[in-house]
Amino acid sequence: MSADRADRIFAALDGFRIELPSWGFANTGTRFGKYMQPAAATTLEEKFSDAAQVHALTGACPTLALHVRWDLPAGVDSTPQVAALAQRVGIAVGAINPNLFEEQHYKFGSFGNPDAAVRERARAHAFESVEIGRRLGTRDVSFWFADGSNYPGTANIRQRRRWFEEALGAVHARLGAGQRMLVEYKPFEPAFYHTDIADWGMALLLARGAGPQARVLVDTGHHYLSQNIEQIVDWLLMEGMLGGFHFNDRRYADDDLTIGSIDPYQVFRIFREIRSFEWETGRAADLAYMIDQSHNLKGKIEAMIQTVVFAQELYAKASLVDESALASAQMQTDLVRAESLLQDAFATDVRPAIREWRAARKLAADPIDAFRQSGYLERITSERAARNAAGNSSYA
Ligand code: LRH
Ligand code: MN
């Protein structure tokens, strides 16, 4: 590989950071059961400890996203303990994700619930989540809503939009100067007739309506299979409304599989559009790269290491595209030349250069192998197995 290409990869990796989800280390399941892993994390301490392992081995994930009800049982009163833990472990707190789903009172929605008392409770949780973020000094409060309906005619879609606009505006008013609110869309699940924030356009209008510190979050698993996600990314970038990503992979729906396990070219195309936007505008896009996966069958820490390593490889490949050569090929409608600039970069084996980057940054050449040699898994398995064995794995 030429020195210039190796330099591009080194520069790209030095600037690449991806945030880990605390819930990716915990025993999560599907509708058809939860398979308990003896080494899975249950306490926030364990989630931070596992995240520190992944960061120590990959050098690319210094922050951990938290889900309020799952990680801060005492809400805002948990913040001093969380701040101390993050300090001690050396992993900073990342995006704060409110839980506006799961609890019984959210059966018919949260911000979109016809019951004003429930909408009030949802607002209170959202306000507390903003306050948690402010006290922990984190930037993003990341909102996803399960709100929607299962049967035609059972929900007033226009009225629910008006309730969302009011509530999101009220939340925005609570943001501190350095905070952002991210609005995540999803076309379906758990609602199977309509979802109140179902696509990028709805999220864009609601975020823009909420205020200048609101942005749209793109979860790669939240699209119909035939949608062109990188085109949506380009439109949101041009609107200045793209806040970040939840990366994962899928074969069918919101499968939350590990990045690149099904369609690695998809994430490559997204990274490439972002780098093309940065090349065109001459400025870095202000984006939060985050992982949102649930590891039901793979070992959770190995799945996370594999995910970060693969994201680094795809980002490195995207950095190899010569954007100026591509721009002229596009203008000359030299389709084959243009396409091959992407395919050549994607087909480039960047792993030797990444191993050199790891060595130069005093990181393990092979993070998965280093993890397997570390004995960490054996240690936490003996510490956690008894409690995880007691865990409830049934759906019903
Ligand atoms: C919803 C979602 C959302 C999270 C949840 C864990 O599907 O993508 O981002 O709150 O997964
Ligand atoms: Mn998500």
Side-chain angles (χ1 to χ4, degrees):
M1 178 178 289
S2 69
D4 163 58
R5 298 188 108 202
D7 292 349
R8 275 170 177 258
I9 291 174
F10 271 53
L13 293 178
D14 281 343
F16 182 73
R17 294 290 175 275
I18 191 160
E19 184 159 295
L20 305 178
S22 66
W23 53 95
F25 294 109
N27 273 320
T28 52
T30 72
R31 283 199 288 171
F32 307 104
K34 179 164 36 175
Y35 302 101
M36 310 304 277
Q37 294 187 17
T42 305
T43 67
L44 192 55
E45 180 122 11
E46 291 166 350
K47 294 168 184 172
F48 268 102
S49 171
D50 295 355
Q53 280 293 309
V54 179
H55 182 50
L57 292 164
T58 63
C61 39
T63 57
L64 184 69
L66 305 182
H67 236 297
V68 174
R69 274 195 79 236
W70 302 335
D71 299 318
L72 297 107
V76 78
D77 298 340
S78 297
T79 52
Q81 177 230 346
V82 172
L85 181 53
Q87 182 74 30
R88 184 156 46 77
V89 173
I91 294 286
V93 175
I96 300 298
N97 295 258
N99 285 66
L100 293 162
F101 52 93
E102 206 177 28
E103 287 163 285
Q104 293 308 305
H105 53 269
Y106 290 138
K107 179 177 181 181
F108 297 116
S110 62
F111 284 7
N113 196 306
D115 181 336
V118 174
R119 295 200 302 275
E120 210 38 57
R121 290 181 76 169
R123 277 182 192 218
H125 180 71
F127 296 161
E128 181 175 21
S129 301
V130 169
E131 180 57 19
I132 287 169
R134 199 185 61 70
R135 293 196 189 185
L136 291 172
T138 69
R139 186 184 190 203
D140 293 334
V141 186
S142 190
F143 288 88
W144 171 70
F145 301 90
D147 290 47
S149 66
N150 277 357
Y151 304 99
T154 59
N156 181 329
I157 294 170
R158 296 184 307 281
Q159 176 53 59
R160 293 169 75 99
R161 175 183 170 179
R162 282 189 285 272
W163 286 327
F164 266 89
E165 287 168 343
E166 288 160 18
L168 290 168
V171 171
H172 189 284
R174 298 285 183 110
L175 293 174
Q179 288 184 290
R180 298 189 310 176
M181 61 188 284
L182 305 180
V183 179
E184 182 178 0
Y185 57 89
K186 184 175 182 179
F188 64 90
E189 189 206 37
F192 292 109
Y193 168 64
H194 102 285
T195 293
D196 289 295
I197 310 182
D199 69 19
W200 70 276
M202 298 176 196
L204 172 64
L205 290 172
L206 287 169
R208 183 163 278 158
Q213 292 164 253
R215 296 284 183 275
V216 175
L217 185 142
V218 173
D219 184 314
T220 51
H222 293 184
H223 300 86
Y224 301 115
L225 287 175
S226 55
Q227 278 185 285
N228 184 323
I229 302 174
E230 59 270 27
Q231 180 181 9
I232 293 169
V233 167
D234 270 334
W235 276 63
L236 291 170
L237 280 168
M238 286 181 75
E239 295 296 321
M241 287 300 290
L242 181 60
F245 294 87
H246 278 177
F247 285 115
N248 45 61
D249 208 337
R250 79 288 175 54
R251 180 65 194 82
Y252 301 102
D254 189 22
D255 309 347
D256 283 342
L257 302 177
T258 46
I259 283 181
S261 54
I262 304 294
D263 181 4
Y265 201 46
Q266 170 63 81
V267 176
F268 168 86
R269 295 196 308 270
I270 290 172
F271 282 149
R272 211 239 97 222
E273 289 296 338
I274 294 166
R275 291 189 65 88
S276 156
F277 175 82
E278 294 178 329
W279 173 78
E280 200 178 270
T281 59
R283 59 182 164 78
D286 179 9
L287 303 174
Y289 293 142
M290 299 175 275
I291 294 166
D292 181 5
Q293 294 169 184
S294 53
H295 308 120
N296 302 326
L297 302 180
K298 288 178 179 177
K300 298 175 189 294
I301 299 172
E302 281 204 4
M304 209 67 93
I305 296 171
Q306 185 195 27
T307 296
V308 176
V309 166
F310 208 65
Q312 288 175 310
E313 287 176 19
L314 293 169
Y315 194 74
K317 287 171 187 274
S319 76
L320 294 178
V321 175
D322 179 339
E323 291 298 336
S324 60
L326 182 64
S328 54
Q330 288 169 341
M331 288 310 290
Q332 292 147 24
T333 57
D334 183 342
L335 307 187
V336 173
R337 169 101 178 100
E339 188 184 30
S340 58
L341 283 164
L342 266 68
Q343 291 175 336
D344 293 353
F346 184 68
T348 302
D349 185 356
V350 294
R351 293 172 294 187
I354 293 181
R355 272 196 288 278
E356 282 165 33
W357 176 81
R358 294 190 189 291
R361 305 291 177 278
K362 306 267 177 293
L363 296 163
D366 178 335
I368 291 272
D369 184 55
F371 175 68
R372 291 185 175 188
Q373 309 302 325
S374 71
Y376 182 83
L377 186 60
E378 292 71 14
R379 180 164 63 75
I380 62 172
T381 300
S382 59
E383 288 166 6
R384 303 174 187 179
R387 194 200 34 242
N388 281 319
N392 141 27
S393 65
S394 72
Y395 163 53

